[in-house]
Amino acid sequence: MPPTLDNSSDPQPTFSVGSTTSEPSLTDQVKRFKPRKFKEKRETLLSKDPSQNNPSHEKLSLKCIKVIVSNFDKNPSHSGIPASHVREITSRLPINLDPKKSAVYVHDESYWKRACLQSLSPSECQIVEHGLTWKQLFFENHLQKRLEGFKDGDDIEVLLEEIEKFQDYIFCLRFRQMPGHIDLDRLTASLPNLTKIDLQYNINKIGMDFDRRLFGMKISDASCLAKSVKDSENLTSIVLSGNLMDDDLLRMLMTGLYKSSTITHLDVSHNKITNHGVRLLAKLLGTKSVLTSLNVADNQIHAEGGRYLGRALRSNDSLSDLNMRLNRLTDEGGRMLLEGLRDNQSVTRLNVSGNSLGSESTSALSVVLREQDSELMILDLSSNRLSDADVQVLSATMERNDRLISMDMRMNSTTDGNEDLEKIQEKLHYNELNLRS
Amino acid sequence: MADAPEEFHTNHADKDERQAARRARVEARSANESSNNQSQARSNASGVHKSKGQRQISGSLSHLDKHKGGGIASVTNIRVEADFRENQRRIHEEQLRQDRLQRLQEEAVRSGKQNAAVEMRWAELLDQNMPQELHREILSQKKSCSDIINSKDELIKEFQQQLKSKDEEYVKALKQQADDVEEMLQRMRTEFKDLQEEYETELESIERAFLEERDELLENNKSEIDGLFEKRRAMELTYMTMKQEREEQYQREIDDLLVKDAEEYNKLKIKLETDIQTLEQQLEEMRATYQLNTEKLEYNYRVLTERDNENTSTLQKQKKKLTKIKDDLSRVVQKYQEFDARDKKRNEELSEDYRRITKQYKDLQSKFRHFELADNRKFEAIWSMHEEEVDTYVVQALKADQIINEQLLGWTWRAPDLEVVRNPAMLGADEDGDGKFTLEELEEHKKKLAEEEEAKKVHVPADKIRSIVSLISEEAGFILDASVKDAIESLPNTQAASVAQAEALLKALGVESEEDVSALSNYFFVDVKQEKDVLEDLNEEDAAPEALERLQKLIQPNHVITAINKFVNDRKEDADAKENKTWTVDVAGAGDALEKKKPKEEKEFWDRMANIISPASHETWKHLEKSLKEYTNILENRARGIEDVSTLTSQNQELKELLNQYLGSRINEELIVPPTDTIRLGD
């Protein structure tokens, strides 16, 4: 802590010159700062409330509110109650109401904030990821928990009936385990606002009951998902990270993806996709493609896959973010991918770390970076096999490039204290400053 | 930019050096950016004088950027390292896999060969006959088989070994991951702390820079203000000296002016004093003459006051008298007004009554005339109706008489003259003149009268009346009331005035209708009738005014009053005569005689009509009636006898038929003695 802040505890801190002017210096502002006290307004109200001592002094409206609150579960209604009292009622409602009823009758965000903060862990309360509304946060978490607890024998109709009550508040379908392998098609059909699907077919905390077959996506799941993707009109983002997905599953999924014109974000990282799978994915990147972000990190893609992608990127003008981290592209595959990038004017972010790239890829990359039209801004080349000579080539290239602002070259086979590396970093910094101004 | 890389090194030991390096860096950047920012432009111009705070902020920001970049790099390093390791591992793994596959393949080939050899040996075994040899061969075969199995087992063992090592590796990897996570957290924590400290120190330094800048500014401003004050003081001093000089100059000018003015004043004073002396002498003279005049006037004034007193006393007396007379006058006037008002009112009431009664009287007369006419008409209608009725009756009676005479009595009947019976006057007019008058004649008479009246009216032309009226107004204007005269004179239009005057005159003379006017004209022109007739043919061709003039000449103005007198008197006599006449005398006048004779004539007419059948024939009718009644009785008796005879014959006939019937019946034949045989008819 700085010494200035320590003084803030003093009753009369000594201010510097100019403290009385209308715009005091920052240190004075810091000294004057007092943390706001967040008192529970309702608590103070209740403590002063005479009704606690004598129930007969209680206001009739307060009594009514109490009765409504206690019977809200049985008879939920807001009609005919003034707005001020509605607020009072929602502030008094217990958070363990039946979600089916509260979804329809409770609209006050403060109630949902209360419910989320008390029932969910802090890591789950990321309101930014849920459209900045607590109600959406609550119900998306609620649905996730219901789905993760869905067993094989459970009745899907009961679940669908429940979902119908709060279907308007679900924008993101997400689960981290799925023991029941639910029919996704029916599920998504009942969610009109769905824009994002984030699925992981795993079993958490399985302990000694481990079975290899319990993990990963199944053919039926893939076909259901493909169908729901095909039918949906709002879906823009699909995340299928870590699902042990192989080429066959991907092919099944592709039957849906080909026919969708809304998916802009596709994440199939941490799967078992090989060159064949990449060939399928490359078809998604045709001229009519709307895909802007593709993540195939940590798969088993070899040089051949790099060629497919490079060929697809030549004619593509939508993809801006490509992640190929931790694959087996090798130097040849990297070259073919980067050669494809030469004619491309949309990719701004490229991650090819951990792909054993070498001098061939470097020369291809330098060609790309020399292009005036190149939009590439962020590049990750870490954990490859770039030598000092390669770095020198890149450094020479970078002198004429004004777009690139970040290039990660760590963990390559370069010697420490390479001057070319520093030159590159300096140029990148300069580019970044230019971009900001 | 060329020497920038050296400056960008942040590894200097000394803090001041680092700051300097930072500053240089910022300068280089601002120069490169060539921004048009005002502060930077100023900094370029003055070199040293630029905003310290701005510089500090930009320097701090870039420094922090660097620091942050370093921190992020150090944190992500772990990930990158792990990636690298993983990548290496995978490559190694792949190699191992390839190795394994190769070995498996080799093993398969080798075991295949051995298997083939063993198979071949099995075939050879069948050829063996010797048991010992066979045993040996089998043993060797067994051995070779176990060799194959052993080699396979070895491979399996090796693989299992590898698996175990893999497990260990996995555990190690887990441990590595945990360590990495720990390391990352550690680094993040330290990085966070470092960054916070860095931020604080940068904040501090920015603050200090701002304070320094502020102090400098204060210093500058103070010196500037001091300079300004100094300048002001100097200017005040110069102003003071200038003011003093000006004052002295003005003082001198004032003194000069004072001296000059004093001399002028003395001269003027002497001159004015001589003037005053001469004027005083004149004043004395004038005073003496004024004294004399005053005494004279004094005397005159006293005399006049005496006279004035006398006048006032007489004036008062006269005033008293005047007031008394005025009182009397007002009383008399009031009385007069009262009487006047009462009389006027009465006069109005009476005239109103008079007018009303006159009107009623006229209405009554007109009503009387109307009803009379109506009665006459009704009477004529009834008369004619009855006459017709009587005619029919007479004709009927005469016819009956004719029938009785000619048919019953066989006498010759002579018809009386019907026309004579109806109207005996037709026979001879000289017999009874008045009696001959019929209704038609009456009408004719009336028509004639009306024509006469009309002729009378026509004889009074308008210009004549006008001349008469003007004559009367000229010669006998006194007949009019004074008030009426006033009213007429007050009328603005002369035409209207003359008309009104004429009306008033005629009214005063009692002339109300057209007849009265003609009568009046007769009085005026009666004297000059002959002369007028003589002059008429002469005047016919002349214009109307000339005729009028002549007419006026013909009526002597002297006779106007006598004419009027005569007219009024005559009128009075007429009125008396009219009053004496009884109402029995018909107003129509002309039909008097006719009306008197009418009842008598009617009576005769009815008598004639009643006696159209003479009393002798009446007597004859009575006798005839008597004999005829007797004849009727005889005839009735005869009729009754004829009826009896006819009934008896019919009875006889019936009896005859009955008898025939009885005789004709069969029973007669059955009888022993038929009556037919006994009875012999007379036939």
Side-chain angles (χ1 to χ4, degrees), chain A residues 148-165:
Chain A
E148 284 174 1
F150 190 79
K151 297 276 180 341
D152 239 340
D154 288 352
D155 189 3
I156 191 170
E157 299 297 337
V158 177
L159 182 67
L160 288 176
E161 197 180 319
E162 188 180 340
I163 285 170
E164 198 188 341
K165 298 287 180 189

Side-chain angles (χ1 to χ4, degrees), chain B residues 28-42:
Chain B
R29 204 177 68 206
S30 62
N32 276 334
E33 283 169 1
S34 67
S35 160
N36 286 329
N37 198 322
Q38 206 180 13
S39 67
Q40 283 185 348
R42 201 173 50 199

Side-chain angles (χ1 to χ4, degrees), chain A residues 226-281:
Chain A
K227 209 171 165 201
S228 61
V229 167
K230 196 160 61 182
D231 295 342
S232 171
E233 290 176 347
N234 300 331
L235 202 62
T236 61
S237 177
I238 299 177
V239 179
L240 295 168
S241 185
N243 273 316
L244 293 177
M245 194 156 66
D246 55 16
D247 292 342
D248 292 335
L249 284 174
L250 188 66
R251 183 173 292 120
M252 188 62 83
L253 192 59
M254 276 300 160
T255 57
L257 284 174
Y258 285 144
K259 287 176 184 156
S260 168
S261 58
T262 54
I263 305 291
T264 60
H265 178 85
L266 181 62
D267 186 348
V268 286
S269 59
H270 308 290
N271 281 307
K272 296 199 291 185
I273 297 169
T274 65
N275 291 339
H276 298 292
V278 172
R279 195 173 178 179
L280 297 172
L281 285 173

Side-chain angles (χ1 to χ4, degrees), chain B residues 214-271:
Chain B
R214 182 187 151 84
D215 286 345
E216 268 175 30
L217 270 174
L218 280 174
E219 196 71 26
N220 284 345
N221 288 348
K222 204 181 167 191
S223 62
E224 201 181 327
I225 284 172
D226 283 352
L228 287 172
F229 268 112
E230 194 61 37
K231 210 169 155 189
R232 190 195 147 160
R233 202 173 299 128
M235 280 175 78
E236 273 179 353
L237 258 173
T238 53
Y239 177 72
M240 284 282 279
T241 53
M242 274 168 69
K243 193 183 169 192
Q244 253 175 353
E245 277 171 19
R246 270 206 306 276
E247 271 177 0
E248 279 168 13
Q249 195 192 330
Y250 290 152
Q251 192 66 43
R252 269 200 304 280
E253 280 173 12
I254 287 168
D255 287 349
D256 291 351
L257 282 173
L258 273 176
V259 172
K260 220 159 91 185
D261 285 353
E263 283 170 8
E264 274 178 15
Y265 172 74
N266 280 338
K267 268 187 220 161
L268 198 69
K269 197 179 174 187
I270 291 161
K271 189 185 154 200

Side-chain angles (χ1 to χ4, degrees), chain B residues 523-538:
Chain B
Y523 278 97
F524 273 76
F525 288 92
V526 78
D527 313 334
V528 290
K529 196 110 186 175
Q530 291 82 20
E531 287 164 84
K532 190 188 156 193
D533 288 338
V534 171
L535 285 167
E536 211 158 16
D537 35 18
L538 290 171

Side-chain angles (χ1 to χ4, degrees), chain A residues 63-275:
Chain A
K63 276 184 181 172
C64 295
I65 286 166
K66 279 183 178 173
V67 171
I68 290 170
V69 166
S70 61
N71 291 319
F72 198 83
D73 221 4
K74 289 177 222 153
N75 190 12
S77 171
H78 275 161
S79 58
I81 302 172
S84 55
H85 293 309
V86 168
R87 177 161 292 189
E88 180 69 20
I89 287 168
T90 49
S91 71
R92 280 162 179 271
L93 281 175
I95 57 160
N96 54 0
L97 281 177
D98 185 2
K100 278 188 277 186
K101 280 178 180 164
S102 55
V104 181
Y105 292 104
V106 182
H107 304 289
D108 195 358
E109 273 291 284
S110 63
Y111 170 82
W112 293 111
K113 186 177 180 181
R114 208 149 47 86
C116 290
L117 291 176
Q118 287 187 27
S119 64
L120 303 175
S121 65
S123 65
E124 285 172 325
C125 289
Q126 297 297 325
I127 192 168
V128 181
E129 293 170 13
H130 298 278
L132 287 173
T133 63
W134 290 104
K135 196 169 183 179
Q136 190 185 335
L137 170 69
F138 182 87
F139 280 111
E140 284 178 1
N141 262 307
H142 179 72
L143 181 62
Q144 183 180 349
K145 276 176 189 160
R146 287 282 289 135
L147 289 173
E148 284 174 1
F150 190 79
K151 297 276 180 341
D152 239 340
D154 288 352
D155 189 3
I156 191 170
E157 299 297 337
V158 177
L159 182 67
L160 288 176
E161 197 180 319
E162 188 180 340
I163 285 170
E164 198 188 341
K165 298 287 180 189
F166 51 77
Q167 60 183 8
D168 292 341
Y169 304 102
I170 304 295
F171 290 82
C172 171
L173 179 66
R174 173 187 153 102
F175 52 77
R176 286 284 161 265
Q177 69 168 11
M178 173 47 73
H181 288 283
I182 196 167
D183 186 352
L184 263 180
D185 188 30
R186 291 193 65 186
L187 192 63
T188 52
S190 65
L191 297 172
N193 291 335
L194 195 67
T195 59
K196 184 181 177 185
I197 292 181
D198 182 358
L199 311 177
Q200 220 170 342
Y201 287 91
N202 285 343
I203 303 287
N204 294 343
K205 294 174 185 170
I206 193 159
M208 291 310 286
D209 296 332
F210 179 82
D211 188 346
R212 183 73 178 75
R213 285 169 296 175
L214 288 176
F215 287 84
M217 214 174 185
K218 299 283 173 283
I219 289 284
S220 60
D221 296 330
S223 71
C224 284
L225 187 58
K227 209 171 165 201
S228 61
V229 167
K230 196 160 61 182
D231 295 342
S232 171
E233 290 176 347
N234 300 331
L235 202 62
T236 61
S237 177
I238 299 177
V239 179
L240 295 168
S241 185
N243 273 316
L244 293 177
M245 194 156 66
D246 55 16
D247 292 342
D248 292 335
L249 284 174
L250 188 66
R251 183 173 292 120
M252 188 62 83
L253 192 59
M254 276 300 160
T255 57
L257 284 174
Y258 285 144
K259 287 176 184 156
S260 168
S261 58
T262 54
I263 305 291
T264 60
H265 178 85
L266 181 62
D267 186 348
V268 286
S269 59
H270 308 290
N271 281 307
K272 296 199 291 185
I273 297 169
T274 65
N275 291 339

Side-chain angles (χ1 to χ4, degrees), chain A residues 1-10 13 30-31:
Chain A
M1 293 289 278
T4 47
L5 286 176
D6 292 344
N7 288 343
S8 63
S9 56
D10 288 344
V30 171
K31 277 176 202 163

Side-chain angles (χ1 to χ4, degrees), chain B residues 565-589:
Chain B
N565 249 335
K566 211 175 168 188
F567 169 72
V568 171
N569 286 336
D570 286 0
R571 293 271 298 178
K572 224 181 241 170
E573 280 168 16
D574 273 4
D576 289 346
K578 252 182 199 170
E579 274 170 22
N580 291 337
K581 273 181 193 168
T582 51
W583 279 109
T584 50
V585 179
D586 196 12
V587 183

